[in-house]
Structure formats: C-alpha cells, structure tokens
Amino acid sequence: SGISEILVDGLTRPTQLYLHHPQPYPENECAAYGCSDMAIPVPGGCHCKCRMGRKLQADGKTCTTAPEPWTRVEPWRCANSCHEHAHCAAEVSNPTVYRCVCKAGYQGNGYQGNTGCTVCNYGYYKSVLRPGQCMECPDGVGSTAARTSCVCLGGLHWYNDECTSNVPEVTARPTTTV
C-alpha cells in the first residue's frame, strides 16, 4: 500500500516480531502441508513449527524430541547477566527466544542475584539445561552428588527419568577405518 508507520521505537535487541492482520487467514490453508506438529501460514505458503522441546528436522516438516530442550548460545544474546551456574540459552523449538537458564543440577531464574541458581536439594535432580525447578527422585532413591540424576538401588539404572533394568545397550563404532 506504500504506507509506512512506526509501530514500536527504541527497541535495543528485538528477537521476535509478530504481525497480526485484521482479516482472518483460512483455517485449513496449511492443513495439507504435511507438518508433524503445526503449520503456520506465511507470505507465499506455510512454515512448519515444532512444540516446545522438539526440533524441526532437515526436511522442514518433521519434528522430533530434542535431547535437550534448550541449547547454549553466546552470552551477549541475553539482555541481563546470567548467574555463574547458568548459561544464556535458546529454546530449541523457538531459537529466537533467549534467556538465562540454570545448568543441570541447579534451579532458579538463571539471572544474577540471590535467587539466580541454587543447587538441587538431596533427593532432587535436574538432568538438562532447562528453566524450572528440580524434580524429586522416587521414594527411597537419592540423587547424585551433581544432582543431575537419581541413584537407583538393587542393580537398577537411572534411564529416562526412572529406575529400570531395561536400558538399551550402547556400542561404540570406529569413525575411521583402521
């Protein structure tokens, strides 16, 4: 239309911009696009988007569970200074969202100050870099010294957030020929 209008002024480091059009987009326009999680209408077509904790694969349509829901990024991307036990991180499913996130074994808001990051209490754990609180180990089970997992008894192993005897065997293969 050729009309230019300033909507927001004075942003120092914007990481997202959402535009809303007053005319609704046809609901089923992207339904047949083939996205495994959700399809977002964009100018000229559709774009696949993944739910939190999932990552878009190279095909641009399939989402799989990410081993870690947050990934470490450069410290300057976070607006505030992170606590010594936190990293500036981006959400895997939305890599334009940056925030300080406590490391595995720590809980809190991730920022400098007395509530930044505190170690998980004994019997609690946090296994990956993610926001949120530590989770309680099952009854009668303690946590490791690093508070990143629980210690199982009776020959069981901590796997997928539970004590189990059903742990897949991992075999190493050489990456180069000998």
Side-chain angles (χ1 to χ4, degrees):
S1 69
I3 299 172
S4 178
E5 179 182 348
I6 296 174
L7 301 176
V8 179
D9 196 12
L11 297 177
T12 57
R13 281 191 264 172
T15 58
Q16 291 183 352
L17 177 65
Y18 292 95
L19 296 177
H20 297 277
H21 194 278
Q23 186 176 13
Y25 199 83
E27 256 184 65
N28 294 326
E29 187 72 26
C30 291
Y33 193 66
C35 298
S36 65
D37 281 19
M38 64 183 110
I40 309 292
V42 295
C46 301
H47 174 75
C48 294
K49 187 88 171 141
C50 301
R51 295 187 311 271
M52 185 173 178
R54 292 172 54 85
K55 186 172 186 173
L56 191 62
Q57 297 304 298
D59 67 1
K61 295 186 178 190
T62 307
C63 296
T64 57
T65 302
E68 293 197 17
W70 291 75
T71 185
R72 192 172 167 182
V73 297
E74 301 86 356
W76 60 265
R77 292 187 182 269
C78 287
N80 299 320
S81 295
C82 297
H83 188 270
E84 65 179 308
H85 296 295
H87 293 297
C88 183
E91 188 181 332
V92 169
S93 58
N94 190 359
T96 59
V97 173
Y98 305 109
R99 68 181 275 191
C100 293
V101 177
C102 294
K103 300 174 187 176
Y106 292 86
Q107 63 184 354
N109 66 16
Y111 294 99
Q112 291 287 358
N114 60 357
T115 60
C117 294
T118 57
V119 70
C120 300
N121 291 326
Y122 182 76
Y124 287 77
Y125 74 100
K126 193 174 93 174
S127 59
V128 296
L129 177 70
R130 65 167 172 77
Q133 302 302 306
C134 299
M135 297 184 288
E136 189 171 8
C137 291
D139 286 339
V141 176
S143 53
T144 60
R147 307 297 198 262
T148 57
S149 66
C150 298
V151 178
C152 303
L153 306 173
L156 298 177
H157 301 279
W158 187 253
Y159 182 72
N160 282 343
D161 294 333
E162 66 179 359
C163 289
T164 181
S165 60
N166 187 20
V167 178
E169 187 177 323
V170 177
T171 57
R173 293 186 184 155
T175 56
T176 59
T177 54
V178 180

